Amino acid sequence: MKKHIDKFNTKVLNYDKYYNKLKSESNRFSEYRDQWDKASNFEIETSFPTQIEFELSNACNYRCVFCPYSFKKPDMPKNFDLPRHDKIFNYDLFKKIIDEGSKNKLMAIELAYNTEPLLYKKLVDAINYAKKKGVVDIRMGSNGSKLDKTISKKLIKGGLTHLGVSLDAFSKETYKVMRASKLYDDVKENILEFIKIRNKLKKNLPSVRVSFLETDQNRHEMKDFVNFWEGKVDYVTIQSLVKYDSTPEKLLLKNKKNNIEYTCHQPWTRLIIRSNGDIKPCCAIPGMAFNYPNANKITIDEFWNSNIMKNMRSTLKNGEGYKNKICKSCIESVSNKNN
């Protein structure tokens, strides 16, 4: 069984199913995951990020209780909400970054970053372009509410390799509490229909994952959630909440944190590009507070190999993340941190 390396203690069920599916589709997949694992363990420092995550639109049609989109604007974490004119990712910039990545063996992209990618009008075009340029793993996370049959077929045919849908519940009642939505049955059916369409088209990919963000409000449904979905999707994840400014205390698990090691692998494996082009060194919400150069003014290669990033990677590898107040607060917030 292939082991999943995760530094935030996300419990992954049936990861080997996902791994074997993509391995059978691409002769570069094993190289990609090996690079990811070694970078995550601080064994290698790559010359270019293994993965780039894109905030295609600084917007979401949900107001989940644990997400800053449900907060009043003054209570949102720093830099979370962007001005209206900066909320949609410039497609020409997307292509420019993918072109640069293609020349530097960019292995993976993630089309989400705390937002709903199905709101982005050029989503399928973006997937097609990344596929054409040789990106191995084209990933997307969604709440699944807009995953109708038409868009499902386009995503499957367009080259998407992985779809993750956040559910966080096993009943309509808990779904409404966690995700402030009455669409539980619709989303559940959308996921199952997506798998049917994929199988009918005789496609091995995209792999499909469902996730459950464990809090004190939903943990009583976790076992039923796993039992229902484990045999239907490719894999299941149980996630821990990363605390940020104004996180509702009622959501936090009552776990005692001992022996915290101030390390983090994210700046070793990925970069995030916000919808306005701002570059961030990690995908955690607290990381939005970093004020770094914009991708319209600097290449990904220049930023990845800058002293800013090299010093950050060195600090986090050596367990000195406490020296940066943003990293310190983020690391200390992760429940059951095991790295």
Side-chain angles (χ1 to χ4, degrees):
M1 180 180 292
K2 181 67 179 178
K3 185 179 179 181
H4 171 64
I5 291 181
D6 188 280
K7 301 298 184 182
F8 285 155
N9 203 28
T10 298
K11 184 177 181 182
V12 181
L13 306 179
N14 292 334
Y15 175 75
D16 55 322
K17 190 175 180 181
Y18 154 79
Y19 183 92
N20 290 330
K21 269 197 168 191
L22 271 84
K23 183 180 178 181
S24 68
E25 291 285 328
S26 171
N27 56 12
R28 293 179 61 207
F29 185 75
S30 293
E31 176 192 354
Y32 150 53
R33 294 313 301 178
D34 183 60
Q35 178 175 305
W36 181 277
D37 290 349
K38 288 180 178 177
S40 295
N41 283 326
F42 314 121
E43 295 173 20
I44 61 171
E45 186 172 6
T46 61
S47 60
F48 199 81
T50 303
Q51 176 171 296
I52 295 177
E53 303 185 19
F54 293 89
E55 182 185 51
L56 296 179
S57 58
N58 180 233
C60 187
N61 60 326
Y62 267 33
R63 293 296 180 264
C64 303
V65 65
F66 49 81
C67 178
Y69 278 117
S70 67
F71 303 169
K72 294 180 179 179
K73 286 192 176 184
D75 295 330
M76 289 182 175
K78 186 177 181 181
N79 296 337
F80 185 87
D81 186 57
L82 298 177
R84 184 177 295 274
H85 63 273
D86 283 336
K87 284 186 174 293
I88 304 300
F89 203 101
N90 183 290
Y91 186 59
D92 288 335
L93 177 61
F94 175 85
K95 292 193 292 183
K96 177 186 174 183
I97 292 171
I98 294 298
D99 288 345
E100 183 186 357
S102 179
K103 297 175 183 177
N104 288 279
K105 297 182 68 175
L106 172 65
M107 296 290 191
I109 61 172
E110 176 78 41
L111 304 173
Y113 183 59
N114 301 306
T115 61
E116 178 48 58
L118 289 173
L119 299 177
Y120 188 65
K121 293 182 179 179
K122 287 188 171 289
L123 174 63
V124 175
D125 292 336
I127 292 170
N128 289 336
Y129 195 80
K131 181 73 172 179
K132 182 176 71 173
K133 290 293 183 174
V135 178
V136 176
D137 200 6
I138 303 170
R139 308 170 60 82
M140 188 186 90
S142 172
N143 60 41
S145 63
K146 293 186 173 294
L147 196 67
D148 59 32
K149 293 180 182 180
T150 299
I151 190 62
S152 291
K153 288 180 182 178
K154 290 180 179 180
L155 294 173
I156 294 166
K157 292 180 178 181
L160 187 71
T161 59
H162 174 74
L163 170 69
V165 181
S166 301
L167 280 173
D168 311 318
F170 187 65
S171 70
K172 290 186 288 187
E173 294 74 22
T174 300
Y175 189 79
K176 188 175 180 180
V177 170
M178 293 294 295
R179 305 192 70 82
S181 170
K182 298 179 181 179
L183 299 178
Y184 173 75
D185 288 333
D186 295 328
V187 173
K188 178 180 172 182
E189 183 58 32
N190 287 348
I191 298 169
L192 296 174
E193 187 63 31
F194 185 93
I195 295 171
K196 287 180 184 178
I197 294 170
R198 182 194 67 185
N199 294 344
K200 187 175 181 179
L201 291 172
K202 300 187 185 305
K203 295 283 189 178
N204 196 33
L205 300 174
S207 61
V208 178
R209 180 207 75 193
V210 293
S211 63
F212 186 98
L213 179 66
E214 183 187 3
T215 74
D216 276 348
Q217 291 186 312
N218 68 355
R219 65 194 319 177
H220 64 285
E221 293 191 352
M222 187 165 63
K223 184 176 180 180
D224 288 336
F225 178 89
V226 172
N227 289 340
F228 179 83
W229 287 107
E230 192 172 10
K232 296 177 176 62
V233 297
D234 295 301
Y235 71 106
V236 177
T237 58
I238 308 298
Q239 300 172 329
S240 298
L241 183 66
V242 177
K243 186 178 179 180
Y244 42 81
D245 292 343
S246 302
T247 304
E249 290 294 329
K250 63 185 179 181
L251 295 176
L252 301 176
L253 297 174
K254 306 303 186 293
N255 290 318
K256 185 178 180 181
K257 300 185 290 292
N258 294 313
N259 302 319
I260 293 176
E261 295 181 29
Y262 288 88
T263 60
C264 179
H265 74 296
Q266 291 218 16
W268 287 74
T269 55
R270 76 193 83 193
L271 283 181
I272 282 69
I273 317 294
R274 300 292 307 277
S275 60
N276 64 349
D278 284 350
I279 304 174
K280 306 296 178 181
C282 69
C283 71
I285 289 176
M288 290 182 175
F290 286 107
N291 289 311
Y292 287 156
N294 188 286
N296 287 292
K297 299 179 179 179
I298 189 172
T299 67
I300 302 302
D301 175 77
E302 287 171 337
F303 182 76
W304 184 256
N305 293 293
S306 66
N307 288 334
I308 291 173
M309 287 298 288
K310 285 186 175 294
N311 291 337
M312 176 176 281
R313 286 194 286 267
S314 176
T315 297
L316 291 169
K317 175 183 178 180
N318 295 329
E320 298 176 335
Y322 57 84
K323 292 183 176 181
N324 185 300
K325 65 179 182 179
I326 297 174
C327 293
K328 181 178 184 294
S329 64
C330 181
I331 291 170
E332 289 177 349
S333 77
V334 181
S335 301
N336 290 327
K337 189 171 184 298
N338 70 340
N339 67 327

